Amino acid sequence: MEMRALNDKREYFRIKLNHPLCATMTIVLVDGHPMKTGSTNVCIKDIGPGGLRFMSHLKLPESKKVILEFDARICGQDYQFWGSVIRTHKKEAGVWEYGVEFYIDEATRSKYVYLFNQLAIKLYKYKQWHSCSICAKDEPAVCLRSRDGEGK
């Protein structure tokens, strides 16, 4: 237990999702310049007030110069999260897993702490996802394949 605490570099808690949260991702800024790109489907595996972990078919760079926007439905409301990739891991052929750190002010982070605490309570108590965009598939790679071509 003590070793885990030493190796855990996260500043904020994360909620590990048993089923992925379906979301869309868009590249919004590169080196401070606005981008006009389409969105792609991604699967969020865990999320918290400091960031999220997601899977995608796209190969993205680890760079604080590339800002991504994630759109997801959580607890009955649509949310947009902005952040950059700080970790990359190849999961299988054509599927990548990423760690994202959010770019937010402390007031927004406080709102996220409340939101994710409510989500954690709802998941623990009721084990219901009816107000979130949770995938019916167990595996994120299967979810991504089933959602190909559904982007905005």
Side-chain angles (χ1 to χ4, degrees), residues 69-146:
E69 177 185 279
F70 297 86
D71 295 299
R73 186 160 189 81
I74 300 172
C75 294
Q77 291 195 4
D78 294 325
Y79 287 91
Q80 294 178 327
F81 305 100
W82 285 38
S84 61
V85 172
I86 59 170
R87 259 184 322 282
T88 304
H89 177 69
K90 187 172 185 174
K91 293 299 281 184
E92 58 185 70
V95 178
W96 296 85
E97 182 177 272
Y98 299 98
V100 170
E101 180 179 46
F102 288 151
Y103 284 119
I104 54 177
D105 58 33
E106 285 308 309
T108 304
R109 191 174 319 276
S110 293
K111 290 177 185 176
Y112 287 173
V113 167
Y114 178 79
L115 169 68
F116 295 129
N117 276 327
Q118 294 302 307
L119 177 60
I121 290 166
K122 187 179 272 191
L123 294 176
Y124 178 75
K125 263 181 133 171
Y126 306 110
K127 307 214 183 322
Q128 293 178 352
W129 294 96
H130 59 81
S131 61
C132 301
S133 55
I134 295 297
C135 184
K137 312 285 190 229
D138 288 335
E139 291 296 319
V142 174
C143 176
L144 287 171
R145 282 192 294 274
S146 72

Side-chain angles (χ1 to χ4, degrees), residues 35-97:
M35 294 284 108
K36 293 188 180 198
T37 64
S39 62
T40 189
N41 294 314
V42 298
C43 293
I44 297 175
K45 294 180 72 176
D46 63 45
I47 192 165
L52 57 82
R53 183 169 49 120
F54 76 98
M55 291 179 69
S56 173
H57 289 277
L58 295 180
K59 173 69 173 116
L60 300 167
E62 281 183 31
S63 174
K64 295 212 179 225
K65 293 182 179 185
V66 178
I67 309 299
L68 308 172
E69 177 185 279
F70 297 86
D71 295 299
R73 186 160 189 81
I74 300 172
C75 294
Q77 291 195 4
D78 294 325
Y79 287 91
Q80 294 178 327
F81 305 100
W82 285 38
S84 61
V85 172
I86 59 170
R87 259 184 322 282
T88 304
H89 177 69
K90 187 172 185 174
K91 293 299 281 184
E92 58 185 70
V95 178
W96 296 85
E97 182 177 272

